[in-house]
Amino acid sequence: MIGNHAILRRRDFGPPAPWPVVVTIPARDEAARIVPCLEAAAHSLRGRGGLVVVVNGSSDRTHARGAAWFEATGTPGVLLETPAFVTGGVGQARREAVAACVPRLAPGAAVMTTDADSQVFPDWVDANLDELDRADLICGNVLPDPAEFARLPPIIAERGAIEGAYVALTIAARTMLDPVAHDPDPTHLSEPGASLAFRMALYEDVGGIPPVPSGEDRAFAAVADARGWRVRHSSLARVRTSCRLRGRAPGGMARALAARIEDDDPFADEMLEPAAQTLLRARLRAGLRQIYANGTASPAALGCIREALGALPRVRMRLSDLRRELPLLSAAVAGCGIEPERQSA
């Protein structure tokens, strides 16, 4: 089993019955949020499995409060603690959580991930299980906590609206040029660690979640996609997450929100590209998909498209770039009669 074994202590709770579903949660200095997170996950599970929490180098009472909650509720689970000096950060914590749950999984069990500053919706587990009938990796929809978002400075929503419009147009362009049967509308562009679902066959095949301090979720999804697993960006598997401006890991939503306040020209989501490149990448991916579907994969044709895709630079756009490219992408989408769906900031 894939794991790094950087465990200081482990506690198991509940009977040793096999789990059809497990929810894994990394937590660092989340004493104020860990109990609501666990309660929401347990409610969504409805007794069909267990929870695995990895308290990753915390300096507060996250571990103590997690242990007290498991003891008081009798919820099946595993509580782990890793040392503060572990360098793999949240990626390694997720990896340890998956490794810890394997002995308790039923055959074909579904493994899900979320975050300690988040609360899954009551139907989150059901939505993930339903999506896993048609796809292999389910990337859920992470929404800001509405009460916390309302308290943020208005500039965050103003700047986020521009990015939201560009995301909607990007999705519309991809849907038009490169429709994917296992990832139909409504879809999105995120692969968030706060909402992933998969089975162990995929996890082992891609080498597990990368043990890195940030970006482990997108890297995991990218390898799964490259290896031919069906990646679904589901708008039905929903999670509500905090809107704090100081996160526990580098990057992520907290940094993006802070940048919209502090930076004169903040970076946009790394998945967004200039209009022409958005269209070209979608056309190339569609060509690659068609070759595979038709069974006519000549080495020359495949090599040509892969080389063209590899030559497309990934240049991070800023807010000013989005403003410049937005009318260009809008015109391209409108010219083909596509009506983009509204995307939340």
Side-chain angles (χ1 to χ4, degrees):
M1 175 56 217
I2 298 164
N4 292 298
H5 310 295
I7 303 300
L8 284 179
R9 52 179 166 167
R10 168 179 176 144
R11 291 188 63 184
D12 287 69
F13 300 88
W19 293 343
V21 183
V22 65
V23 179
T24 65
I25 306 165
R28 183 179 184 185
D29 293 336
E30 296 287 5
R33 298 179 186 266
I34 187 63
V35 169
C37 169
L38 294 173
E39 288 177 342
H43 179 65
S44 191
L45 267 174
R46 299 204 315 273
R48 290 171 290 180
L51 308 177
V52 176
V53 181
V54 175
V55 180
N56 185 34
S58 280
S59 58
D60 68 0
R61 291 182 53 78
T62 301
H63 187 277
R65 291 185 178 176
W69 180 86
F70 275 111
E71 290 169 350
T73 64
T75 302
V78 177
L79 180 63
L80 307 172
E81 186 173 25
T82 65
F85 58 80
V86 169
T87 58
V90 66
Q92 182 159 333
R94 294 195 197 282
R95 197 176 175 92
E96 295 292 353
V98 176
C101 76
V102 168
R104 301 187 68 165
L105 294 181
V111 180
M112 304 180 188
T113 75
T114 191
D115 287 337
D117 70 332
S118 303
Q119 295 179 41
V120 305
F121 276 52
D123 64 349
W124 180 73
V125 168
D126 288 330
N128 275 314
L129 291 174
D130 186 54
E131 296 281 27
L132 280 170
D133 286 339
R134 298 178 293 275
D136 304 307
L137 173 60
I138 313 305
C139 305
N141 193 16
V142 178
L143 308 170
D145 181 280
E148 293 186 20
F149 190 80
R151 294 194 293 269
L152 294 175
I155 193 173
I156 288 183
E158 293 165 8
R159 289 178 160 183
I162 298 170
E163 185 165 326
Y166 204 91
V167 167
L169 288 166
T170 298
I171 291 171
R174 290 184 179 186
T175 302
M176 169 184 66
L177 298 171
D178 181 28
V180 179
H182 59 261
D183 198 17
D185 278 336
T187 185
H188 56 82
L189 300 181
S190 300
E191 288 112 12
S195 184
L196 297 175
F198 49 87
R199 302 191 192 277
M200 288 305 298
L202 178 148
Y203 188 82
E204 295 284 4
D205 180 67
V206 304
I209 294 172
V212 294
S214 65
E216 81 293 341
D217 38 18
R218 279 188 167 167
F220 179 65
V223 176
D225 183 59
R227 292 189 61 80
W229 294 94
R230 298 168 298 172
V231 179
R232 166 70 170 140
H233 299 83
S234 173
S235 295
L236 302 177
R238 299 167 298 165
V239 174
R240 184 179 295 113
T241 197
S242 71
C243 295
R244 62 190 176 197
L245 301 179
R246 287 181 171 271
R248 301 297 186 262
M253 185 172 177
R255 177 56 198 142
L257 291 174
R260 288 182 186 174
I261 301 172
E262 300 164 358
D263 298 356
D264 292 334
D265 194 12
F267 280 113
D269 189 287
E270 63 188 38
M271 295 300 292
L272 300 178
E273 300 183 277
Q277 192 160 308
T278 297
L279 301 175
L280 177 56
R281 188 180 298 277
R283 290 188 178 106
L284 289 171
R285 286 178 64 87
L288 200 61
R289 217 179 295 280
Q290 186 174 13
I291 288 174
Y292 283 126
N294 294 341
T296 57
S298 76
L302 284 173
C304 225
I305 295 179
R306 285 173 175 162
E307 184 178 352
L309 279 168
L312 287 178
R314 282 286 188 184
V315 179
R316 190 85 179 265
M317 293 205 297
R318 292 184 178 271
L319 181 64
S320 59
D321 299 316
L322 294 184
R323 288 188 173 120
R324 182 191 67 245
E325 295 290 327
L326 188 62
L328 302 176
L329 189 55
S330 180
V333 170
C336 296
I338 299 294
E339 182 68 27
E341 292 191 7
R342 179 184 175 89
Q343 297 290 312
S344 58

